[in-house]
Amino acid sequence: MTVSIAHQNGVLGNRVRFGCKSSGKNGSAVFERKARVGVGRCHRVARASHSDQVAAGASLTNRTRPDYIPGRIDDPNYVRIFDTTLRDGEQSPGASMTSEQKLDIARQLSKLGVDIIEAGFPVASPDDFDAVKAIATEVGNEVHPDGYVPVICGLSRTRENDLKTAWEAVKMAKRPRVHTFIATSEIHMKYKLRMTPDEVIQNAVNAVTYLKSLGCEDIEFSPEDAGRSDPEFLYKILSEVIKAGATTLNIPDTTGWNLPSEFSGLISKIIENTPGAKDVVISTHCQNDLGLSTANSLAGAFAGARQVECTINGIGERAGNASLEEVVMAIALRGEDQMGGLWTGIRPNHISATSKMVMEYSGMPVQPHKAIVGANAFAHASGIHQDGMLKNPGTYEIMSPETIGLQRGAGDVGVVLAKLSGRNALGARLKELGYDVSEAELRDVFKRFKDLADKKKVVSDDDIIALVNDEKSQAVATWTLRDVQVVCGSAGMPTATVRLEGPDSVLRIASSVGTGPVDAAYKAIDSIVGLEVDLVDYSMASVTEGIDALANTRVVIRPCNATLSSIQLVENAQGAIRERTYTGNAASEDVVVASARAYISALNKMISVCKLEKTSIEASESSREEPVNA
């Protein structure tokens, strides 16, 4: 068993008794067994060794995951983790990412060990298609030493053009999959699709048949809004797509309507009443509208589902999705003794780094009290709690932070670096934190690290993470901030002077006034770049405590010019058309500098996607100063 990751200080050899349901490949016969629990001691004393905690976390990954076979899992207790951060997660308002950022996240998900990466909705736009194809080509062919390589999946409606586009995007992967769906609830069929039940079934069957004709052997089918669909109709449509060749049946609680007992009952009934269901993998996809997505996902797995769809930090449409880190750690900690031996192939020591990367790249902040990855998840403020933690951390922590890759040094504080630290030390620390950076990226991060270290006594892990994510989150630099200077106060008009370097290596300078220093800086930038945008959202948070803390700034923009807006309409998986927005993030010890960098990052993303470089250069001629090397 892998319960050694929990803080436990008991007698070795405790015996536990449990029952579970198992049915063929998905498990259906009820059985009981006894297991001997080897109780680990992650914290022998209040200051247990760092290596003990890391070793305890590593015990999660000692088992060898079963070979990947579409539609079949040879270990009846193994649960596949299907990550849809790059597809459903990116549908969160304002959560736009560049193709390079999506590729970075896919690489990190591969390190994390997710079984399937749903890389996007390829037909949504050429940029989405290119991003999915790049992930399939690179990440989908990178075989790990243990033979693991993630399945790369593309989402598609049942339309032939969608299906063909999705297959073209993923087919270069070693293990490609297409996920197609159509709604099955009465309200969706009547008002959205305007189809009869028979027409819906025919569409689903045609989609699976067409994918088979293209050469796709790994096909996932979802009856959208299954949680509110007639179960008898679900049995019928699912049995038909199985006959047509579907290998995974995903059961979505699309509106987050179901309760755990209700959803587990639905999964059980589908397994029992759908002809052929025991010859495919049953999956769950639970939304969080009632805050039950994780509970429903676990209930579905306990009832026989052997794939769980989730996202990092739980991001997604509306209230979000089941949170990968919550599902995975719940199974890791309680799967053996409470869920009949369920386990996953996730490497949990990469959870923290993956969470932070998704937060920075998507621009979606994580609430401090978020389970597993929130800033307060391993913080203890109450005097009673602190007393318990000092005596034995197991009194209030059910897992060590090192289990998820959150490193704490002596005294339970983050390992820190100071201004005398060298580039090798910084590079080694980044590796410990789960970041692979190129020499060029390390050089840029180190320069900013030294600048920050000159202003702060120590630079914490959170500071380092903010700096590296800031560097990696910047889009292809059409415009680069060289200088910004502001004059403001209660007695005068806030004024900002900005100098930018363009892609032609020419410096341009402009000054402007505004209602505040940030507004003035943005107006000066606008006058140089020459593109009209709306500022949709602006937020700022400190990375650490104290007056010398880094400021982490997030801005969301969209083009306001009618011509530009017309090419920025994107269609989501549900067929809704929305204007694309662009998010920029930046960190600096100066709030105005952080704000300017974030704004320019968002502008660069928009320029890159819209191919507006020439338009911007022509509009900026009036602010031309001189070539950089002049």
Side-chain angles (χ1 to χ4, degrees):
M1 291 178 65
T2 56
V3 296
S4 59
I5 63 167
H7 295 309
Q8 305 207 26
N9 292 279
V11 180
L12 293 178
N14 290 338
R15 297 181 73 83
V16 296
R17 185 178 181 88
F18 57 87
C20 83
K21 290 186 177 179
S22 184
S23 113
K25 294 162 190 145
N26 294 316
S28 57
V30 176
F31 66 92
E32 287 189 334
R33 58 177 172 166
K34 292 181 179 179
R36 182 167 293 274
V37 182
V39 180
R41 298 183 65 185
C42 294
H43 293 275
R44 293 191 297 271
V45 292
R47 298 281 187 248
S49 76
H50 186 83
S51 59
D52 281 353
Q53 295 171 341
V54 174
S59 69
L60 276 173
T61 57
N62 287 340
R63 300 173 74 172
T64 302
R65 76 178 77 209
D67 290 338
Y68 182 81
I69 303 170
R72 193 177 98 205
I73 304 175
D74 288 337
D75 184 335
N77 289 334
Y78 184 77
V79 179
R80 287 175 177 166
I81 297 299
F82 178 111
D83 182 272
T84 184
T85 301
L86 296 173
R87 200 278 300 170
D88 201 324
E90 208 207 5
Q91 290 179 204
S92 300
S96 60
M97 291 177 268
T98 66
S99 295
E100 186 57 41
Q101 288 173 332
K102 292 177 183 177
L103 186 56
D104 274 349
I105 289 174
R107 292 186 189 112
Q108 188 65 29
L109 291 172
S110 180
K111 283 186 193 176
L112 184 61
V114 302
D115 298 275
I116 302 100
I117 299 173
E118 188 167 52
F121 183 42
V123 82
S125 71
D127 190 56
D128 285 280
F129 176 87
D130 291 342
V132 175
K133 187 173 183 179
I135 291 168
T137 303
E138 181 180 322
V139 180
N141 285 281
E142 186 178 346
V143 182
H144 292 235
D146 61 357
Y148 155 77
V149 60
V151 174
I152 306 300
C153 177
L155 184 71
S156 170
R157 292 166 298 194
T158 56
R159 303 172 186 175
E160 281 199 2
N161 181 57
D162 285 30
L163 297 163
K164 184 178 181 181
T165 302
W167 175 242
E168 288 296 321
V170 302
K171 69 179 183 180
M172 296 304 293
K174 186 176 179 67
R175 294 172 178 163
R177 177 190 289 192
V178 175
H179 176 192
T180 187
F181 70 97
I182 192 168
T184 54
S185 65
E186 182 180 358
I187 191 170
H188 276 253
M189 289 190 290
K190 182 176 180 180
Y191 294 103
K192 186 181 80 171
L193 299 179
R194 297 182 181 178
M195 290 183 184
T196 65
D198 287 343
E199 288 173 328
V200 169
I201 291 174
Q202 193 59 54
N203 264 266
V205 170
N206 289 346
V208 175
T209 303
Y210 183 64
L211 283 171
K212 291 281 287 185
S213 74
L214 294 176
C216 182
E217 297 297 327
D218 193 352
I219 301 169
E220 178 171 336
F221 173 75
S222 289
E224 186 187 7
D225 204 18
R228 297 190 298 172
S229 297
D230 174 12
E232 294 296 329
F233 181 60
L234 285 178
Y235 309 151
K236 187 175 180 181
I237 191 170
L238 293 174
S239 66
E240 292 300 320
V241 295
I242 291 171
K243 291 177 193 174
T247 53
T248 299
L249 302 182
N250 180 51
I251 311 303
D253 180 20
T254 304
T255 59
W257 172 251
N258 295 131
L259 300 179
S261 57
E262 186 180 16
F263 191 69
S264 66
L266 177 61
I267 296 296
S268 296
K269 290 174 185 175
I270 285 172
I271 293 172
E272 292 165 8
N273 297 302
T274 303
K278 295 175 184 177
D279 297 318
V280 297
V281 174
I282 303 298
S283 171
T284 68
H285 181 112
C286 300
Q287 299 292 134
N288 203 39
D289 297 68
L290 292 177
L292 295 170
S293 57
T294 296
N296 284 340
S297 298
L298 294 172
F302 188 72
R306 288 299 178 264
Q307 176 179 289
V308 174
E309 302 199 355
C310 40
T311 63
I312 300 297
N313 301 335
I315 65 173
E317 287 270 19
R318 303 185 315 280
N321 287 278
S323 169
L324 180 146
E325 58 275 9
E326 293 174 13
V327 169
V328 165
M329 292 312 297
I331 292 176
L333 290 168
R334 308 310 308 277
E336 186 72 34
D337 63 332
Q338 293 295 320
M339 301 182 73
L342 297 187
W343 64 288
T344 76
I346 293 296
R347 302 163 184 143
N349 56 309
H350 292 287
I351 285 176
S352 181
T354 310
S355 169
K356 285 180 169 63
M357 179 181 286
V358 170
M359 179 180 69
E360 295 288 346
Y361 284 6
S362 69
M364 304 297 292
V366 173
Q367 62 208 48
H369 54 280
K370 169 77 170 65
I372 315 296
V373 294
N376 295 345
F378 297 97
H380 305 273
S382 162
I384 294 174
H385 287 220
Q386 289 174 344
D387 180 62
M389 286 294 294
L390 289 169
K391 292 172 179 174
N392 187 322
T395 54
Y396 288 103
E397 286 185 352
I398 61 172
M399 72 191 85
S400 68
E402 285 77 13
T403 301
I404 64 162
L406 183 61
Q407 305 299 325
R408 291 197 302 202
D412 285 341
V413 295
V415 175
V416 295
L417 298 173
K419 67 178 182 179
L420 297 180
S421 301
R423 189 166 70 172
N424 288 342
L426 178 62
R429 190 73 195 105
L430 286 171
K431 278 190 170 61
E432 289 178 12
L433 292 170
Y435 288 87
D436 285 331
V437 294
S438 65
E439 279 298 317
E441 288 171 333
L442 179 59
R443 184 176 60 249
D444 292 340
V445 172
F446 183 67
K447 182 177 182 299
R448 295 191 62 195
F449 163 78
K450 296 295 279 187
D451 290 341
L452 180 61
D454 282 337
K455 299 178 177 70
K456 297 185 69 173
K457 290 181 180 179
V458 293
V459 180
S460 70
D461 285 350
D462 285 338
D463 290 325
I464 294 169
I465 290 167
L467 290 177
V468 71
N469 282 336
D470 183 21
E471 287 296 327
K472 291 172 77 68
S473 69
Q474 302 304 314
V476 177
T478 302
W479 294 100
T480 304
L481 179 68
R482 290 305 179 200
D483 298 293
V484 57
Q485 182 172 318
V486 297
V487 178
C488 61
S490 59
M493 184 73 72
T495 305
T497 301
V498 172
R499 181 156 55 178
L500 304 182
E501 181 184 338
D504 53 1
S505 299
V506 172
L507 292 173
R508 293 168 170 82
I509 190 168
S511 297
S512 186
V513 297
T515 56
V518 173
D519 181 53
Y522 284 7
K523 287 178 178 175
I525 292 169
D526 287 342
S527 68
I528 295 176
V529 175
L531 300 175
E532 295 182 38
V533 298
D534 286 329
L535 182 62
V536 178
D537 189 34
Y538 172 95
S539 60
M540 179 180 293
S542 63
V543 172
T544 56
E545 296 178 349
I547 192 66
D548 57 357
L550 278 175
N552 205 336
T553 306
R554 172 181 181 261
V555 300
V556 182
I557 64 170
R558 65 169 169 243
C560 61
N561 180 285
T563 304
L564 299 184
S565 296
S566 65
I567 62 171
Q568 287 309 295
L569 299 178
V570 288
E571 187 174 7
N572 68 15
Q574 284 70 42
I577 304 295
R578 61 179 175 87
E579 266 193 293
R580 173 168 252 164
T581 57
Y582 299 89
T583 304
N585 296 278
S588 174
E589 65 278 8
D590 186 304
V591 296
V592 177
V593 173
S595 300
R597 281 174 56 85
Y599 190 58
I600 291 169
S601 174
L603 285 169
N604 282 335
K605 287 182 186 177
M606 188 186 78
I607 290 169
S608 174
V609 171
C610 303
K611 301 185 172 36
L612 297 172
E613 183 177 310
K614 183 178 179 182
T615 302
S616 181
I617 291 295
E618 290 173 350
S620 67
E621 281 306 302
S622 61
S623 56
R624 181 185 179 99
E625 190 179 24
E626 74 276 336
V628 174
N629 10 347

